[in-house]
C-alpha cells in the first residue's frame, strides 16, 4: 500500500472516531496514532464533555494511550491522524511526544495551532517540529463538524 492509500485508510479510522464523538454529544473530532510500522497504537475521539476535562481532546487521548501502551514518553517514528487541524495544546503535545508526522483532514482557521493561529511548529521555541500535512477527507471532516454545530444551534444546545 502506498503512502496516499495508507493515509486515506487511516484517516477513515479517524473519521469513524469523529462520528462516535458526535453520537456521544462531543465535538466530532477523531484521532488515530500509528507506529513506525503502520500498526494502530491508539484510537480516540473527543471526551471533553463526558470527562469534564478541557484537555480530553482526541489527539491528547491518543498520544496518552500510545505512550502508555509503549511505556515511553517519546513516540519517534509515529504519526498522528486527526480529522481537524490540532489546536495549540495538541500540537504542543505532538511536539513533546516527538511524533514524526501529523496528518489532519479539515483546517481550523479559528482554533488551529499548526497552519493557523500560533503555528506551534514554526515557533523558534519549538524543540521538535513534526512533519505536517493536510491529508484526505477535509470536506467530509468539515461537514461532520458543520452538521454537528448546526444541529446544536437549531436545537438550542450549547
Amino acid at each position: 500500500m502506498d503512502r496516499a492509500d495508507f493515509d486515506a485508510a487511516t484517516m477513515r479510522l479517524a473519521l469513524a472516531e469523529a462520528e462516535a464523538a458526535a453520537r456521544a454529544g462531543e465535538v466530532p473530532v477523531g484521532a488515530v496514532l500509528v507506529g513506525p510500522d503502520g500498526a494502530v497504537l491508539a484510537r480516540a475521539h473527543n471526551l471533553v464533555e463526558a470527562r469534564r476535562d478541557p484537555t480530553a481532546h482526541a489527539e491528547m487521548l491518543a498520544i496518552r494511550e500510545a505512550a502508555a501502551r509503549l511505556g515511553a514518553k517519546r513516540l519517534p517514528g509515529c504519526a498522528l491522524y486527526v480529522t481537524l487541524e490540532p489546536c495549540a495544546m495538541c500540537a504542543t503535545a505532538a511536539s513533546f511526544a516527538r511524533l514524526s508526522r501529523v496528518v489532519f483532514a479539515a483546517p481550523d482557521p479559528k482554533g488551529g495551532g499548526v497552519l493557523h493561529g500560533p503555528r506551534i511548529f514554526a515557533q523558534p521555541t519549538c524543540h521538535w517540529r513534526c512533519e505536517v500535512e493536510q491529508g484526505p477527507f477535509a470536506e467530509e471532516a468539515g461537514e461532520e463538524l458543520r452538521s454537528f454545530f448546526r444541529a446544536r444551534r437549531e436545537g438550542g444546545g450549547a
Side-chain angles (χ1 to χ4, degrees):
M1 178 181 307
D2 71 8
R3 187 166 172 164
D5 289 341
F6 181 83
D7 287 355
T10 307
M11 192 62 77
R12 279 190 198 94
L13 297 175
L15 285 168
E17 289 293 327
E19 291 166 5
R23 286 192 302 273
E26 300 278 353
V27 173
V29 177
V32 174
L33 202 145
V34 298
D37 62 354
V40 173
L41 298 173
R43 293 174 63 152
H45 58 266
N46 278 4
L47 290 174
V48 172
E49 301 299 328
R51 293 189 180 178
R52 293 180 167 75
D53 177 358
T55 70
H57 291 197
E59 302 96 319
M60 299 291 286
L61 298 172
I63 290 168
R64 288 176 189 150
E65 182 181 330
R69 184 173 178 182
L70 295 176
K73 65 180 183 177
R74 305 272 191 254
L75 303 170
C78 294
L80 178 67
Y81 292 78
V82 60
T83 58
L84 181 65
E85 177 184 349
C87 69
M89 173 182 68
C90 294
T92 301
S95 175
F96 287 171
R98 305 279 197 268
L99 298 181
S100 294
R101 289 177 75 211
V102 174
V103 181
F104 68 89
D108 187 358
K110 188 174 179 181
V114 176
L115 296 183
H116 299 91
R119 296 183 171 115
I120 296 299
F121 302 129
Q123 297 305 312
T125 55
C126 182
H127 297 293
W128 179 265
R129 288 168 179 78
C130 306
E131 176 187 337
V132 176
E133 296 176 39
Q134 185 171 354
F137 305 116
E139 185 54 38
E140 292 86 339
E143 183 52 37
E144 179 81 32
L145 286 155
R146 286 187 294 277
S147 295
F148 175 82
F149 286 113
R150 187 179 318 113
R152 301 277 296 212
R153 284 189 303 274
E154 292 169 0

